[in-house]
């Protein structure tokens, strides 16, 4: 329901194509999650994932949000070695 409301409020371009505003919101969500996964450190370092191991535990609502933004490979890139719901 949240994704539906967010998409409707952000609007869509012609023929269901995402609008610039929708893409901007998605990019901000990705940036926030990357910041969280990197403990609020800059994402610039390519070796930052090697410095710590992370376990991500989330509920169904968080899974719905995260799964639309990241693939498993993206989580691994940010050092998440185990993800559970």
């Amino acid at each position: 329901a949240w994704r539906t409301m967010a998409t409707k409020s952000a609007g869509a371009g012609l023929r269901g194509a995402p609008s610039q505003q929708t893409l901007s919101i998605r990019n901000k969500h990705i940036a926030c999650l990357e910041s969280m996964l990197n403990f609020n450190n800059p994402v610039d370092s390519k070796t930052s994932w090697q410095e710590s191991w992370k376990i991500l535990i989330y509920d169904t609502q968080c899974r719905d949000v995260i799964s639309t933004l990241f693939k498993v490979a993206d989580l691994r890139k940010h050092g998440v070695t185990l993800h559970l719901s």
Side-chain angles (χ1 to χ4, degrees):
W2 177 81
R3 281 185 284 167
T4 305
M5 290 188 319
T7 304
K8 287 179 183 176
S9 66
L14 297 175
R15 299 181 189 190
S19 70
Q20 188 66 21
Q21 184 178 7
T22 302
L23 293 176
S24 176
I25 291 171
R26 184 176 191 280
N27 290 338
K28 288 180 182 180
H29 285 167
I30 290 171
C32 286
L33 283 172
E34 285 178 338
S35 176
M36 178 195 72
L37 291 173
N38 287 309
F39 306 120
N40 293 325
N41 292 323
V43 186
D44 298 333
S45 175
K46 295 193 185 277
T47 59
S48 65
W49 65 271
Q50 296 175 351
E51 296 172 6
S52 60
W53 293 63
K54 300 170 191 154
I55 299 173
L56 180 62
I57 302 173
Y58 50 85
D59 61 6
T60 305
Q61 291 174 335
C62 290
R63 182 198 62 211
D64 292 343
V65 172
I66 291 172
S67 67
T68 61
L69 301 173
F70 288 138
K71 296 178 184 174
V72 173
D74 297 326
L75 292 174
R76 297 234 189 266
K77 180 178 86 174
H78 291 289
V80 177
T81 54
L82 180 62
H83 49 94
L84 304 168
S85 65

